[in-house]
Amino acid sequence: METIVWQETYSLGIKLIDNQHRELVEIINDVYDAKLRGSKNGEIKNSIIKLAEYTHKHFDTEEELSFKYDYPELDSQIDENNQVRIQVDKLLHQAKSGNLELSDNVIDFLRDWTLNHITNTDKIYCEFLSGKEVDN
Ligand SMILES: [Fe+2]
């Protein structure tokens, strides 16, 4: 396991989306750092709260843009996002109730979905958005 190092290939050409992805990667790295440092529960809890809030914000942004620009894959985008929403909400619930088990599997899951989300799902999505004046 390692932190995610931002690669230029992760930039998909839509500034709004790229900035949110960078922030998401940083937050996931913070979660991992907190675990590595054996941080007190409060710190890990705060990093999970931040992760859950930002994940929701990011998905909401993408779905709003999809709706606005009539993205043909909106339904499957929502399905995919909802699966992750359920997972981060589960973590959030565990963190808030003091039952969070931040295993390596959880970190791997966060890392894998983020990279897959950026390099596969959103690569196609941002190709669709290019030329739509999203950043204006
Ligand atoms: Fe995204």
Side-chain angles (χ1 to χ4, degrees), residues 25-59:
V25 163
E26 262 180 50
I27 293 169
I28 287 170
N29 284 340
D30 287 346
V31 171
Y32 179 49
D33 280 348
K35 175 185 158 64
L36 271 189
R37 284 186 281 107
S39 298
K40 296 223 167 67
N41 279 343
E43 198 181 327
I44 292 178
K45 178 178 156 184
N46 287 340
S47 68
I48 292 292
I49 290 172
K50 208 171 158 193
L51 171 71
E53 285 174 351
Y54 206 81
T55 302
H56 281 282
K57 175 186 166 162
H58 178 59
F59 289 165

Short mmCIF file of all heavy atoms in Angstrom, two decimals, residues 25-59:
data_model
loop_
_atom_site.label_atom_id
_atom_site.label_comp_id
_atom_site.label_asym_id
_atom_site.label_seq_id
_atom_site.Cartn_x
_atom_site.Cartn_y
_atom_site.Cartn_z
N VAL A 25 -8.02 12.86 -3.97
CA VAL A 25 -6.79 12.07 -3.80
C VAL A 25 -6.07 12.50 -2.51
O VAL A 25 -5.62 11.66 -1.73
CB VAL A 25 -5.86 12.23 -5.04
CG1 VAL A 25 -4.45 11.78 -4.74
CG2 VAL A 25 -6.43 11.43 -6.22
N GLU A 26 -6.01 13.81 -2.27
CA GLU A 26 -5.36 14.28 -1.05
C GLU A 26 -6.07 13.79 0.20
O GLU A 26 -5.44 13.39 1.18
CB GLU A 26 -5.35 15.82 -1.03
CG GLU A 26 -4.03 16.39 -1.51
CD GLU A 26 -4.02 17.91 -1.48
OE1 GLU A 26 -4.39 18.48 -0.44
OE2 GLU A 26 -3.69 18.49 -2.52
N ILE A 27 -7.39 13.81 0.15
CA ILE A 27 -8.17 13.38 1.32
C ILE A 27 -7.94 11.88 1.57
O ILE A 27 -7.76 11.45 2.72
CB ILE A 27 -9.67 13.69 1.13
CG1 ILE A 27 -9.89 15.21 1.13
CG2 ILE A 27 -10.49 13.05 2.24
CD1 ILE A 27 -11.29 15.64 0.70
N ILE A 28 -7.92 11.09 0.51
CA ILE A 28 -7.68 9.66 0.67
C ILE A 28 -6.26 9.41 1.20
O ILE A 28 -6.05 8.57 2.08
CB ILE A 28 -7.95 8.91 -0.65
CG1 ILE A 28 -9.46 8.87 -0.87
CG2 ILE A 28 -7.40 7.48 -0.60
CD1 ILE A 28 -9.89 8.38 -2.20
N ASN A 29 -5.31 10.18 0.71
CA ASN A 29 -3.95 10.07 1.24
C ASN A 29 -3.91 10.45 2.73
O ASN A 29 -3.18 9.84 3.52
CB ASN A 29 -2.98 10.96 0.45
CG ASN A 29 -2.63 10.35 -0.91
OD1 ASN A 29 -2.78 9.15 -1.12
ND2 ASN A 29 -2.16 11.18 -1.82
N ASP A 30 -4.71 11.44 3.11
CA ASP A 30 -4.77 11.84 4.53
C ASP A 30 -5.34 10.71 5.40
O ASP A 30 -4.89 10.49 6.51
CB ASP A 30 -5.65 13.09 4.71
CG ASP A 30 -4.95 14.34 4.21
OD1 ASP A 30 -3.72 14.29 3.98
OD2 ASP A 30 -5.64 15.38 4.05
N VAL A 31 -6.37 10.04 4.86
CA VAL A 31 -6.95 8.90 5.60
C VAL A 31 -5.87 7.85 5.82
O VAL A 31 -5.68 7.33 6.93
CB VAL A 31 -8.14 8.28 4.83
CG1 VAL A 31 -8.60 6.98 5.49
CG2 VAL A 31 -9.31 9.27 4.74
N TYR A 32 -5.14 7.57 4.76
CA TYR A 32 -4.09 6.56 4.82
C TYR A 32 -2.98 6.99 5.79
O TYR A 32 -2.52 6.20 6.62
CB TYR A 32 -3.53 6.33 3.41
CG TYR A 32 -2.42 5.32 3.33
CD1 TYR A 32 -2.53 4.07 3.94
CD2 TYR A 32 -1.26 5.59 2.61
CE1 TYR A 32 -1.52 3.13 3.86
CE2 TYR A 32 -0.24 4.66 2.52
CZ TYR A 32 -0.37 3.44 3.14
OH TYR A 32 0.63 2.52 3.06
N ASP A 33 -2.57 8.25 5.70
CA ASP A 33 -1.54 8.78 6.62
C ASP A 33 -1.99 8.65 8.07
O ASP A 33 -1.20 8.26 8.94
CB ASP A 33 -1.28 10.28 6.34
CG ASP A 33 -0.36 10.46 5.15
OD1 ASP A 33 0.24 9.47 4.71
OD2 ASP A 33 -0.25 11.60 4.65
N ALA A 34 -3.25 8.99 8.31
CA ALA A 34 -3.77 8.93 9.67
C ALA A 34 -3.69 7.50 10.19
O ALA A 34 -3.31 7.25 11.34
CB ALA A 34 -5.21 9.44 9.72
N LYS A 35 -4.00 6.56 9.33
CA LYS A 35 -3.91 5.14 9.72
C LYS A 35 -2.46 4.76 9.98
O LYS A 35 -2.14 4.13 10.98
CB LYS A 35 -4.52 4.26 8.62
CG LYS A 35 -4.37 2.77 8.89
CD LYS A 35 -4.90 1.96 7.70
CE LYS A 35 -4.32 0.55 7.64
NZ LYS A 35 -4.68 -0.31 8.74
N LEU A 36 -1.57 5.15 9.06
CA LEU A 36 -0.15 4.79 9.17
C LEU A 36 0.47 5.33 10.46
O LEU A 36 1.26 4.66 11.11
CB LEU A 36 0.64 5.39 8.00
CG LEU A 36 0.79 4.58 6.72
CD1 LEU A 36 1.79 5.28 5.81
CD2 LEU A 36 1.25 3.16 7.02
N ARG A 37 0.12 6.56 10.79
CA ARG A 37 0.69 7.19 11.97
C ARG A 37 0.05 6.68 13.25
O ARG A 37 0.40 7.10 14.35
CB ARG A 37 0.54 8.72 11.88
CG ARG A 37 1.54 9.34 10.91
CD ARG A 37 1.49 10.85 10.93
NE ARG A 37 0.36 11.38 10.17
CZ ARG A 37 -0.73 11.91 10.70
NH1 ARG A 37 -0.85 12.02 12.00
NH2 ARG A 37 -1.71 12.36 9.93
N GLY A 38 -0.94 5.80 13.08
CA GLY A 38 -1.64 5.28 14.25
C GLY A 38 -2.32 6.40 15.01
O GLY A 38 -2.30 6.46 16.24
N SER A 39 -2.92 7.31 14.24
CA SER A 39 -3.54 8.49 14.84
C SER A 39 -4.65 8.12 15.80
O SER A 39 -5.22 7.04 15.73
CB SER A 39 -4.14 9.38 13.75
OG SER A 39 -3.14 9.82 12.89
N LYS A 40 -4.93 9.07 16.69
CA LYS A 40 -6.05 8.88 17.61
C LYS A 40 -7.34 8.80 16.79
O LYS A 40 -7.44 9.31 15.69
CB LYS A 40 -6.13 10.05 18.57
CG LYS A 40 -4.90 10.17 19.47
CD LYS A 40 -5.33 10.49 20.90
CE LYS A 40 -4.19 10.29 21.87
NZ LYS A 40 -3.10 11.28 21.67
N ASN A 41 -8.34 8.14 17.39
CA ASN A 41 -9.60 7.93 16.68
C ASN A 41 -10.22 9.21 16.15
O ASN A 41 -10.81 9.22 15.08
CB ASN A 41 -10.60 7.21 17.58
CG ASN A 41 -10.32 5.72 17.59
OD1 ASN A 41 -9.62 5.23 16.71
ND2 ASN A 41 -10.83 5.03 18.60
N GLY A 42 -10.07 10.30 16.90
CA GLY A 42 -10.67 11.56 16.49
C GLY A 42 -10.14 12.03 15.14
O GLY A 42 -10.90 12.51 14.31
N GLU A 43 -8.86 11.85 14.94
CA GLU A 43 -8.26 12.32 13.69
C GLU A 43 -8.71 11.45 12.51
O GLU A 43 -9.02 11.96 11.43
CB GLU A 43 -6.73 12.29 13.82
CG GLU A 43 -6.05 13.13 12.77
CD GLU A 43 -4.53 13.09 12.89
OE1 GLU A 43 -4.03 12.98 14.03
OE2 GLU A 43 -3.86 13.15 11.86
N ILE A 44 -8.75 10.15 12.74
CA ILE A 44 -9.20 9.24 11.67
C ILE A 44 -10.68 9.51 11.36
O ILE A 44 -11.07 9.59 10.20
CB ILE A 44 -8.98 7.77 12.08
CG1 ILE A 44 -7.47 7.49 12.13
CG2 ILE A 44 -9.67 6.82 11.12
CD1 ILE A 44 -7.08 6.12 12.56
N LYS A 45 -11.43 9.72 12.43
CA LYS A 45 -12.86 10.02 12.25
C LYS A 45 -13.04 11.28 11.41
O LYS A 45 -13.83 11.30 10.46
CB LYS A 45 -13.51 10.21 13.63
CG LYS A 45 -14.97 10.58 13.60
CD LYS A 45 -15.50 10.70 15.01
CE LYS A 45 -16.71 11.59 15.07
NZ LYS A 45 -17.18 11.80 16.44
N ASN A 46 -12.26 12.32 11.72
CA ASN A 46 -12.38 13.57 10.96
C ASN A 46 -12.00 13.37 9.49
O ASN A 46 -12.61 13.95 8.59
CB ASN A 46 -11.52 14.66 11.58
CG ASN A 46 -12.11 15.17 12.87
OD1 ASN A 46 -13.31 14.99 13.11
ND2 ASN A 46 -11.30 15.78 13.71
N SER A 47 -10.98 12.54 9.26
CA SER A 47 -10.57 12.33 7.87
C SER A 47 -11.65 11.55 7.10
O SER A 47 -11.87 11.80 5.92
CB SER A 47 -9.21 11.62 7.78
OG SER A 47 -9.29 10.30 8.24
N ILE A 48 -12.33 10.65 7.77
CA ILE A 48 -13.42 9.90 7.12
C ILE A 48 -14.62 10.81 6.87
O ILE A 48 -15.27 10.72 5.82
CB ILE A 48 -13.83 8.67 7.99
CG1 ILE A 48 -12.70 7.63 8.02
CG2 ILE A 48 -15.12 8.05 7.49
CD1 ILE A 48 -12.43 6.93 6.71
N ILE A 49 -14.91 11.69 7.81
CA ILE A 49 -16.03 12.63 7.61
C ILE A 49 -15.74 13.50 6.39
O ILE A 49 -16.60 13.70 5.52
CB ILE A 49 -16.24 13.52 8.87
CG1 ILE A 49 -16.79 12.68 10.02
CG2 ILE A 49 -17.18 14.69 8.56
CD1 ILE A 49 -16.86 13.40 11.36
N LYS A 50 -14.50 13.98 6.31
CA LYS A 50 -14.11 14.81 5.17
C LYS A 50 -14.23 14.03 3.86
O LYS A 50 -14.73 14.54 2.86
CB LYS A 50 -12.65 15.26 5.38
CG LYS A 50 -12.32 16.56 4.74
CD LYS A 50 -10.94 17.04 5.18
CE LYS A 50 -10.40 18.02 4.16
NZ LYS A 50 -9.00 18.32 4.32
N LEU A 51 -13.77 12.79 3.89
CA LEU A 51 -13.84 11.95 2.70
C LEU A 51 -15.30 11.75 2.26
O LEU A 51 -15.61 11.90 1.06
CB LEU A 51 -13.22 10.58 2.99
CG LEU A 51 -13.42 9.52 1.91
CD1 LEU A 51 -12.60 9.84 0.68
CD2 LEU A 51 -13.08 8.13 2.42
N ALA A 52 -16.17 11.43 3.20
CA ALA A 52 -17.57 11.19 2.85
C ALA A 52 -18.21 12.46 2.29
O ALA A 52 -18.88 12.42 1.25
CB ALA A 52 -18.33 10.70 4.08
N GLU A 53 -17.97 13.58 2.96
CA GLU A 53 -18.57 14.83 2.48
C GLU A 53 -18.07 15.19 1.09
O GLU A 53 -18.84 15.59 0.22
CB GLU A 53 -18.24 15.98 3.45
CG GLU A 53 -19.04 15.91 4.74
CD GLU A 53 -18.61 16.97 5.75
OE1 GLU A 53 -17.57 17.63 5.53
OE2 GLU A 53 -19.34 17.12 6.75
N TYR A 54 -16.78 15.01 0.89
CA TYR A 54 -16.22 15.43 -0.40
C TYR A 54 -16.63 14.50 -1.53
O TYR A 54 -16.85 14.92 -2.67
CB TYR A 54 -14.69 15.58 -0.33
CG TYR A 54 -14.20 16.55 -1.37
CD1 TYR A 54 -14.26 17.92 -1.13
CD2 TYR A 54 -13.75 16.12 -2.61
CE1 TYR A 54 -13.88 18.83 -2.09
CE2 TYR A 54 -13.36 17.04 -3.59
CZ TYR A 54 -13.43 18.38 -3.31
OH TYR A 54 -13.06 19.28 -4.27
N THR A 55 -16.75 13.22 -1.21
CA THR A 55 -17.20 12.25 -2.22
C THR A 55 -18.62 12.60 -2.68
O THR A 55 -18.90 12.61 -3.88
CB THR A 55 -17.18 10.81 -1.64
OG1 THR A 55 -15.85 10.52 -1.21
CG2 THR A 55 -17.60 9.79 -2.66
N HIS A 56 -19.48 12.91 -1.72
CA HIS A 56 -20.85 13.32 -2.07
C HIS A 56 -20.83 14.58 -2.93
O HIS A 56 -21.53 14.67 -3.93
CB HIS A 56 -21.68 13.54 -0.81
CG HIS A 56 -22.18 12.26 -0.20
ND1 HIS A 56 -23.25 11.56 -0.70
CD2 HIS A 56 -21.73 11.54 0.85
CE1 HIS A 56 -23.45 10.47 0.03
NE2 HIS A 56 -22.54 10.43 0.97
N LYS A 57 -20.03 15.54 -2.50
CA LYS A 57 -19.96 16.80 -3.24
C LYS A 57 -19.51 16.55 -4.69
O LYS A 57 -20.08 17.10 -5.64
CB LYS A 57 -18.97 17.75 -2.54
CG LYS A 57 -18.73 19.04 -3.29
CD LYS A 57 -17.62 19.86 -2.62
CE LYS A 57 -17.18 20.96 -3.59
NZ LYS A 57 -16.46 22.03 -2.93
N HIS A 58 -18.49 15.72 -4.82
CA HIS A 58 -17.94 15.45 -6.15
C HIS A 58 -18.97 14.74 -7.05
O HIS A 58 -19.17 15.14 -8.20
CB HIS A 58 -16.67 14.62 -6.03
CG HIS A 58 -16.08 14.25 -7.35
ND1 HIS A 58 -15.69 15.21 -8.27
CD2 HIS A 58 -15.84 13.05 -7.94
CE1 HIS A 58 -15.23 14.60 -9.36
NE2 HIS A 58 -15.32 13.30 -9.19
N PHE A 59 -19.60 13.74 -6.52
CA PHE A 59 -20.60 13.01 -7.33
C PHE A 59 -21.77 13.93 -7.68
O PHE A 59 -22.29 13.87 -8.80
CB PHE A 59 -21.11 11.78 -6.59
CG PHE A 59 -20.09 10.67 -6.48
CD1 PHE A 59 -20.28 9.63 -5.59
CD2 PHE A 59 -18.96 10.65 -7.29
CE1 PHE A 59 -19.36 8.59 -5.50
CE2 PHE A 59 -18.03 9.62 -7.20
CZ PHE A 59 -18.23 8.59 -6.30
#
